[in-house]
Amino acid sequence: MRPTTRTTLRGALAALALLPALALAAPTASAASPSPSASASASGAPAPATKAGTSFLTATNLSPGQDANVAASTGDYLYWAFGASEGQTPTIGLTVNLAPATDRHGPQTWSAEVFDGLRRRQSCTAGTQNATGDQNTGTLTLSCTLREIRSWAEPWSGDPLPGTYYVRLSVSDVPQTDLGLATSVQLHVSAKGNADNAQPEGGELKAPLVPPAGGGASTAKAAAPVAAEEHWYTGWFSGWNSRWYWTIGGGALAALAGVLGYNLTRHPRGYRPPRYGAVPPQSGTPQPGPYAGSQRP
């Protein structure tokens, strides 16, 4: 056997001997550097959302405790939806990482707004809803703390009620040439309090303001629809053909009233018109009577 052949065989046997050691070292190396998703699942919190909607209908629903980390373009409208229950006081925190200063041409103003399920804008009790950064600013921070979620409210009031809430992030002032620049946004929603803090006591909401439309995190369940109460006259005022019945009946009553009014105005009480062709009496002409043709004594 040649020396080169012996050397090749020895190298192959040494490689086979190292295979078990490499197989044991591979899991150790993978465990030493866990992925972000694995660390998120280990902590119990859901992985951050990587998308955002462009309208109320396409808003990305966030589960309880879920954050958002989205890459977007300057000028886009970003929408997220989250659920809030009675007694809680939600706080929304946003961090906007602007494009590099060398690519921008002026200051930018970003705005954060919160709406309830009826798309009514909710006021913030604390936080910065509008933030402006000059050309050298790299990060903007916005926040909004809502009022405490109530268990019930008057119909005319705009108090926050249990249900779905929407977060809208937009840029309100930016140079025209900076539209479309790459940016990234981080969103964090936190809430303190629970149902024991709900005020005032004695009120109860049967269903959330608007049930979430995409598997959102609403803590209340929608109530079953209640059938409308029916009466003996319900069919008269409902249905596609009811208006024709009322139109025909109203026309007949109007025609009858017109004929009656004509008769009353044309023939007053106690007066009959003369017969057609009769000649009215003339003055100075003797009238027939018991003394016609004779002189009275």
Side-chain angles (χ1 to χ4, degrees):
M1 185 178 293
R2 297 180 180 180
T4 56
T5 306
R6 294 178 180 178
T7 305
T8 305
L9 291 175
R10 290 176 181 177
L13 293 174
L16 292 175
L18 291 176
L19 285 179
L22 294 175
L24 293 176
T28 307
S30 61
S33 58
S35 61
S37 59
S39 60
S41 59
S43 61
T50 58
K51 295 182 180 180
T54 56
S55 65
F56 287 101
L57 299 178
T58 60
T60 300
N61 292 289
L62 301 177
S63 303
Q66 185 180 19
D67 296 338
N69 191 352
V70 179
S73 300
T74 303
D76 292 345
Y77 282 84
L78 306 179
Y79 287 82
W80 296 274
F82 66 94
S85 60
E86 60 180 10
Q88 291 183 344
T89 303
T91 299
I92 297 92
L94 290 159
T95 302
V96 181
N97 299 317
L98 303 179
T102 55
D103 298 336
R104 287 182 280 144
H105 301 83
Q108 296 184 9
T109 301
W110 290 72
S111 301
E113 301 169 284
V114 182
F115 301 84
D116 61 7
L118 297 180
R119 301 180 186 178
R120 300 177 302 182
R121 182 177 179 180
Q122 293 292 323
S123 58
C124 300
T125 59
T128 303
Q129 291 186 260
N130 302 292
T132 303
D134 55 17
Q135 189 172 355
N136 298 323
T137 303
T139 303
L140 294 178
T141 303
L142 301 94
S143 62
C144 174
T145 300
L146 296 177
R147 294 173 292 172
E148 183 180 303
I149 306 300
R150 297 169 56 96
S151 59
W152 65 277
E154 299 292 342
W156 48 263
S157 68
D159 294 334
L161 295 174
T164 303
Y165 285 81
Y166 298 92
V167 180
R168 180 172 69 185
L169 178 65
S170 61
V171 55
S172 56
D173 187 12
V174 63
Q176 189 74 17
T177 54
D178 290 351
L179 293 176
L181 294 178
T183 183
S184 61
V185 179
Q186 289 82 34
L187 170 67
H188 176 71
V189 179
S190 60
K192 63 179 181 179
N194 48 36
D196 296 336
N197 300 329
Q199 296 293 334
E201 298 180 358
E204 181 181 359
L205 190 68
K206 294 184 178 180
L209 197 60
V210 168
S218 177
T219 56
K221 296 182 180 180
V226 180
E229 186 178 359
E230 296 185 359
H231 303 278
W232 61 271
Y233 55 81
T234 302
W236 293 10
F237 302 95
S238 62
W240 66 271
N241 55 354
S242 60
R243 57 179 180 177
W244 296 108
Y245 299 152
W246 284 100
T247 302
I248 295 173
L253 292 177
L256 182 61
V259 173
L260 181 61
Y262 175 81
N263 290 331
L264 292 177
T265 56
R266 184 64 178 170
H267 307 297
R269 183 183 301 177
Y271 172 77
R272 287 182 175 274
R275 189 172 56 183
Y276 180 79
V279 179
Q282 300 179 0
S283 61
T285 303
Q287 301 294 330
Y291 301 100
S294 61
Q295 298 181 353
R296 297 178 65 181

